[in-house]
Amino acid sequence: MTIHYPNGARFSPSQQPNKKLKLTTYGGRGMTLEQELNESNQYYLANDVAVIHKKPTPIQIVKVDYPKRSAAVIREAYFRQASTTDYNGIYRGRYIDFDAKETQETTRFPLDNFHKHQIEHMRSCLKQGGICFGLVKFVKLDQLYLLKATDLISYWDHQDTGRKSIPLKVFDDIALPIHYRLNPIIPYLDAVDHLI
Amino acid sequence: MTIHYPNGARFSPSQQPNKKLKLTTYGGRGMTLEQELNESNQYYLANDVAVIHKKPTPIQIVKVDYPKRSAAVIREAYFRQASTTDYNGIYRGRYIDFDAKETQETTRFPLDNFHKHQIEHMRSCLKQGGICFGLVKFVKLDQLYLLKATDLISYWDHQDTGRKSIPLKVFDDIALPIHYRLNPIIPYLDAVDHLI
C-alpha cells in the first residue's frame, strides 16, 4: 500500500527522519570518511597524541590569473593521480602511513579501490620500518576496519591467479575492527597500538 | 666606464654567460631548490634509502567543469596556506619532517621565510620524536645548510626581543653544511645521519 503525506507527496521509507537519526547516532553524523578522519586527526593533534595529516589533492596547474589587488586565481587545472597514500605522520615515534577507502559493497572489498602507486608506496615504507595500513569502510554496513598493509599486499599480489576482492569474512578474521566513538570519532590509533 | 655590445646594448656583468656556466657546474644546474630536492628524493626512493615526498600545494577548489569525454577541468581555485611543512617521510625507521627555503640575502636568513603554522607543526612533530629541520639555501652564495628545528625554533621564539633573522655566521657555527653532488644532487640525508 502506498502511503501519501497530506500534501499528496508519496511517503518513502528511505526519507524517514529516523534514518538520518541513525546516521547521527552511529559515528559519522553524515560526514564522509575523509571528514571523519580529518576531525579525528585534529583531535589527536590537539591532544598531543599524534601528528597525522591528509595530503592535499595533487593538482596540475595550467593557467593562473593575477588580478590587481586580489588573490591569484587558478583558471585551468587538472586533477593528478597521487603517487603516495593520502595520510601520513608520526605517532609514538613511529612513521604512520595509510589510505582510507569506502566501499558500497556489502560482502567484499574490491582491490581496484587501491591504485598500483599506493601499493608500491606502502611496500617502500614497510621496507623502511613504517607502519602501513588501509582503513576500509563498508558504508552500507557502517563497519570500519584497519587492514595491515602486509595483508593487503598479499591479496594484491595474488590478483592474477586469485580473487580480485577481499571477502568481508576475511576482514572479520584478520583485520582490526574500529568502532565509532565521540572523541575521536574514529579511534584508529587504538588499532595501531596492536601493530606496534 | 660603460661597455656596449656592437649592437648598442649595454654590457652588464650580471648577464655574463660565465655566471650561468657557474650555476651549471655547481650542483643546481639552474633548477630550483624544490626541483633539486624532488630529484634527490627520487634517487633516495629508487635506491631504497628513504621514502620522502613533497606534499602537493594545497588548493581551495571553487568550480569544476566536467566536459563530456574528457577530464574534469578546475575553472576556479585559490592557493591556500599549508598547515604543515612541505616535506615528510621515513628514513632508517625514523619520521623525517622538514621545509626548504631559499633566500637572496647574503649575510642573514630572515625568519619570516617560515610561517607560524610550519613552526608549530615542527614543535608537534618533535614532541612525537620526529626528526625536523629546515633546509636553507643562500642562493647568491650557492651555500646550503641543514638547520635543526630546535635551533630554528629557538631563534623564532626570541624574535620579539632579539633579532628577526639568523646571521650567516650562525649557520657556519651550528648548522650542517650540505655540498652538492651528482647523485643525489642534494645529499641531505648524510647530514640527517648526524641528528640520529
Side-chain angles (χ1 to χ4, degrees):
Chain A
M1 189 184 94
T2 309
I3 305 171
H4 289 86
Y5 282 109
N7 67 1
R10 195 166 165 172
F11 172 76
S12 156
S14 71
Q15 289 166 8
Q16 279 184 87
N18 267 351
K19 174 119 186 201
K20 208 173 173 188
L21 193 65
K22 190 186 168 215
L23 273 173
T24 310
T25 313
Y26 291 83
R29 299 183 304 193
M31 291 192 288
T32 63
L33 181 56
E34 178 181 329
Q35 290 169 325
E36 291 167 355
L37 282 170
N38 286 348
E39 278 211 11
S40 303
N41 286 335
Q42 276 180 22
Y43 174 89
Y44 283 137
L45 178 64
N47 289 276
D48 282 339
V49 177
V51 184
I52 297 169
H53 289 273
K54 181 181 182 293
K55 295 184 184 178
T57 307
I59 304 281
Q60 179 72 46
I61 297 170
V62 176
K63 185 170 169 246
V64 183
D65 279 356
Y66 298 93
K68 273 183 195 168
R69 277 187 289 274
S70 55
V73 191
I74 298 162
R75 286 297 180 197
E76 184 183 350
Y78 299 88
F79 293 101
R80 274 172 29 208
Q81 201 173 67
S83 54
T84 67
T85 50
D86 276 354
Y87 298 85
N88 76 354
I90 182 169
Y91 169 56
R92 290 174 53 188
R94 306 295 289 267
Y95 175 76
I96 305 290
D97 198 295
F98 68 97
D99 221 324
K101 303 289 185 188
E102 289 178 298
T103 181
Q104 299 295 323
E105 300 285 336
T106 54
T107 59
R108 62 200 181 87
F109 173 73
L111 284 162
D112 61 7
N113 276 284
F114 279 92
H115 305 299
K116 190 169 180 296
H117 275 105
Q118 297 175 321
I119 300 290
E120 295 314 318
H121 174 70
M122 285 189 182
R123 252 191 255 272
S124 301
C125 291
L126 284 174
K127 272 191 208 164
Q128 292 294 326
I131 293 176
C132 308
F133 52 89
L135 283 184
V136 174
K137 182 175 181 178
F138 290 86
V139 177
K140 289 181 177 159
L141 308 175
D142 207 17
Q143 285 179 29
L144 184 64
Y145 297 90
L146 181 152
L147 179 69
K148 277 183 288 180
T150 45
D151 292 328
L152 170 63
I153 290 169
S154 165
Y155 270 86
W156 179 271
D157 286 343
H158 291 90
Q159 277 186 92
D160 291 341
T161 52
R163 39 192 317 157
K164 306 215 181 312
S165 64
I166 307 178
L168 176 61
K169 198 190 163 304
V170 170
F171 279 86
D172 283 326
D173 289 345
I174 64 171
L176 295 156
I178 300 169
H179 302 291
Y180 280 94
R181 212 165 61 187
L182 195 61
N183 261 325
I185 298 172
I186 299 182
Y188 68 95
L189 291 179
D190 292 356
V192 169
D193 286 336
H194 292 278
L195 308 184
I196 294 182
Chain B
M1 190 184 95
T2 308
I3 306 172
H4 289 85
Y5 283 109
N7 68 1
R10 197 164 164 173
F11 171 76
S12 157
S14 70
Q15 290 165 5
Q16 279 185 87
N18 267 350
K19 175 121 186 200
K20 206 173 173 188
L21 193 65
K22 192 186 169 213
L23 272 172
T24 310
T25 313
Y26 290 81
R29 299 182 305 193
M31 290 193 286
T32 62
L33 182 55
E34 178 180 330
Q35 290 169 325
E36 292 167 355
L37 282 170
N38 286 348
E39 278 212 10
S40 304
N41 287 335
Q42 277 179 22
Y43 173 89
Y44 283 137
L45 179 64
N47 290 277
D48 282 340
V49 177
V51 185
I52 297 169
H53 288 275
K54 182 181 180 294
K55 296 185 183 179
T57 307
I59 305 281
Q60 179 72 46
I61 297 170
V62 176
K63 187 169 167 244
V64 183
D65 280 355
Y66 297 93
K68 276 182 194 168
R69 278 187 289 271
S70 56
V73 191
I74 297 162
R75 286 297 181 197
E76 185 184 351
Y78 299 88
F79 294 101
R80 274 170 33 206
Q81 201 173 69
S83 54
T84 66
T85 49
D86 276 354
Y87 298 85
N88 76 354
I90 182 168
Y91 169 58
R92 290 174 53 188
R94 308 294 290 266
Y95 175 76
I96 304 290
D97 198 296
F98 67 97
D99 221 324
K101 305 288 184 188
E102 290 179 297
T103 182
Q104 299 295 323
E105 300 284 337
T106 52
T107 58
R108 64 199 180 89
F109 174 72
L111 285 162
D112 60 8
N113 276 285
F114 279 92
H115 306 298
K116 191 170 179 296
H117 275 107
Q118 297 175 321
I119 300 291
E120 296 313 319
H121 173 71
M122 286 190 181
R123 253 192 254 272
S124 301
C125 291
L126 284 175
K127 274 191 207 166
Q128 292 294 326
I131 293 176
C132 308
F133 51 89
L135 284 184
V136 174
K137 182 174 181 179
F138 290 86
V139 177
K140 289 182 177 160
L141 308 175
D142 208 16
Q143 285 179 30
L144 183 64
Y145 297 90
L146 181 152
L147 180 68
K148 278 184 288 180
T150 45
D151 292 329
L152 170 61
I153 291 170
S154 164
Y155 270 86
W156 179 271
D157 286 343
H158 292 88
Q159 276 184 92
D160 291 341
T161 51
R163 39 192 317 157
K164 306 215 180 314
S165 64
I166 306 178
L168 176 62
K169 196 189 165 305
V170 170
F171 280 86
D172 283 326
D173 288 346
I174 64 172
L176 295 155
I178 300 170
H179 302 291
Y180 280 93
R181 212 165 62 188
L182 196 60
N183 261 324
I185 299 172
I186 300 183
Y188 67 95
L189 291 179
D190 292 356
V192 169
D193 286 337
H194 292 277
L195 308 185
I196 296 183

